[in-house]
Amino acid sequence: METAAAAPPRVQALADAGVSLLPAQYVQPPELRPDPTTTTTHRRAPTAASLSVPVVDLSSPGAGDAVRRACAEWGAFHVVGHGVRPGLLDAMRGAGLAFFRSPMEEKLRFACDQARGAAAEGYGSRMLANDDSVLDWRDYFDHHTLPDSRRDPTRWPDFVPGYRDTVVKYSDSMKDLAQKLLRIVSESLNLPPSYIEEAVGEVYQNITVSYYSPCPQPDLALGLQSHSDMGAITLLIQDDVGGLEVLKDGLWIPVPSLPDGILVILADQTEIITNGRYKSAVHRAIVNADRARLSVATFYDPSKSRKICTAPQLVCKEHPQKYRDVIYGDYVSSWYSKGPEGKRNIDALLIEQ
């Protein structure tokens, strides 16, 4: 683990110190900044106010049709009636908040081991391997939770009562929900219910708690740069502060917190498997000057040795194969070596038609 001396600067420490100017390494290029008055590739517009991420009640008879529309039109949607106890959602948010409100010396005991490379488990602030990338205004704790061989609760905080037990229960609940959703997604494309699940193979699950401190110049920074997720599906809960945005038809649409709701974000491997019928959702996190924000993202991914291929049932003359097959580990390495750069990593796999 990192020692306090070796640990990189934490965003929370900068915010607590009262910095009045954003350090240069956090300043986004003008074209990627969230300020709507800046000339950007993707703009907010009055029509964005009329758009909102769909909400699907999984307990309703029409859930399958609603999921189909949400996947085809958005790639992201809230689910309610999902069967996960509201108390568990609150407990997971509470555990994360308690960690980030703890003394720095306690948190640093569980700092990422940089020798393990990008995305090492633990408390960190920089996830990419390249040192010259613009940094996100974010701290995080990443837990390796599945398969069981990766799950080692001794690497998680021991100074927050019930923390480790909460993460284990939350991990198991999110696995069940992800598998339920992937079955619905498969059926919505007239594939066998287990098709996407089997295409993904043994699930590798990470749970990342992100903490976005108040930012002195939020118009220059991003909490999380524009990107689509690498794996199969992401399940996210957040507090009531707001800051998550999804890109829809060139507009950034705010995603408010939904009480007891869980946000579903389709990721790149699902887009490959579905031959682009369903697209992964491009999203980002903006920050504000006054309130810290917390979110918990659960990533459901293939193993790095898994070869991801388009479902042959979804390839025809009218819908030729869009993406090359890919070994998931190669895909991950590409992303961590260069970062999102405000783009979709999946576009590098497009087949020229």
Side-chain angles (χ1 to χ4, degrees):
M1 293 292 176
E2 291 174 347
T3 64
R10 305 301 181 186
V11 170
Q12 189 176 5
L14 294 173
D16 289 347
V19 295
S20 59
L21 295 176
L22 188 69
Q25 63 265 41
Y26 297 95
V27 176
Q28 292 289 331
E31 67 274 14
L32 298 181
R33 294 173 189 169
D35 186 350
T37 65
T38 302
T39 302
T40 58
T41 303
H42 306 299
R43 298 170 294 105
R44 289 181 187 162
T47 52
S50 64
L51 296 173
S52 59
V53 172
V55 179
V56 177
D57 185 349
L58 293 183
S59 66
S60 70
D65 289 337
V67 167
R68 179 188 297 110
R69 289 193 299 272
C71 289
E73 297 173 8
W74 283 82
F77 53 97
H78 280 116
V79 290
V80 296
H82 43 63
V84 181
R85 293 185 298 104
L88 182 56
L89 303 181
D90 290 339
M92 188 63 236
R93 280 185 289 250
L97 191 59
F99 171 80
F100 282 103
R101 286 178 172 173
S102 297
M104 182 62 71
E105 59 269 23
E106 291 279 18
K107 295 197 286 274
L108 288 175
R109 289 174 46 221
F110 295 90
C112 295
D113 182 355
Q114 293 179 316
R116 292 176 177 265
E121 184 172 27
Y123 172 48
S125 301
R126 176 200 292 271
M127 194 167 275
L128 297 178
N130 52 330
D131 292 334
D132 58 351
S133 60
V134 178
L135 298 180
D136 295 325
W137 189 258
R138 175 183 79 127
D139 300 310
Y140 62 84
F141 197 107
D142 191 36
H143 312 74
H144 295 178
T145 44
L146 289 174
D148 288 337
S149 59
R150 296 172 75 232
R151 182 187 284 181
D152 182 3
T154 64
R155 295 182 178 274
W156 309 339
D158 58 359
F159 52 86
V160 175
Y163 188 103
R164 294 173 174 177
D165 184 55
T166 296
V167 172
V168 168
K169 290 178 180 177
Y170 189 76
S171 165
D172 293 340
S173 291
M174 291 300 103
K175 178 186 177 183
D176 291 344
L177 178 57
Q179 291 176 333
K180 177 180 181 178
L181 285 161
L182 290 178
R183 288 193 290 271
I184 295 173
V185 171
S186 293
E187 289 182 302
S188 74
L189 291 166
N190 296 316
L191 295 170
S194 62
Y195 189 91
I196 297 179
E197 229 180 305
E198 292 175 0
V200 170
E202 183 179 31
V203 57
Y204 275 61
Q205 183 197 71
N206 283 23
I207 296 176
T208 303
V209 181
S210 295
Y211 188 83
Y212 305 93
S213 296
C215 180
Q217 294 177 291
D219 56 322
L220 300 181
L222 286 171
L224 197 59
Q225 298 174 52
S226 170
H227 69 288
S228 57
D229 290 341
M230 295 180 288
I233 195 171
T234 302
L235 304 176
L236 183 138
I237 59 175
Q238 54 182 333
D239 60 19
D240 62 353
V241 173
L244 180 64
E245 297 183 329
V246 169
L247 188 65
K248 167 69 170 169
D249 299 331
L251 303 173
W252 285 109
I253 310 302
V255 182
S257 176
L258 189 66
D260 302 336
I262 297 172
L263 182 69
V264 180
I265 302 173
L266 296 189
D268 291 346
Q269 307 313 303
T270 295
E271 178 166 344
I272 294 170
I273 294 167
T274 65
N275 200 29
R277 305 285 184 93
Y278 295 162
K279 291 192 178 299
S280 56
V282 175
H283 53 287
R284 69 181 184 183
I286 61 173
V287 290
N288 71 83
D290 303 312
R291 297 181 66 190
R293 172 177 172 261
L294 182 131
S295 69
V296 183
T298 304
F299 302 96
Y300 186 104
D301 300 341
S303 73
K304 290 186 178 179
S305 63
R306 190 72 171 181
K307 185 177 184 179
I308 300 298
C309 309
T310 296
Q313 300 95 316
L314 301 179
V315 177
C316 60
K317 185 177 180 180
E318 293 77 20
H319 298 283
Q321 184 172 338
K322 290 188 64 174
Y323 299 107
R324 298 192 305 274
D325 300 344
V326 66
I327 301 298
Y328 184 63
D330 294 342
Y331 192 86
V332 171
S333 296
S334 170
W335 194 95
Y336 278 119
S337 64
K338 64 184 179 64
E341 298 178 334
K343 303 173 184 177
R344 298 199 324 147
N345 203 39
I346 194 174
D347 291 343
L349 300 177
L350 282 168
I351 297 172
E352 290 189 17
Q353 304 295 337

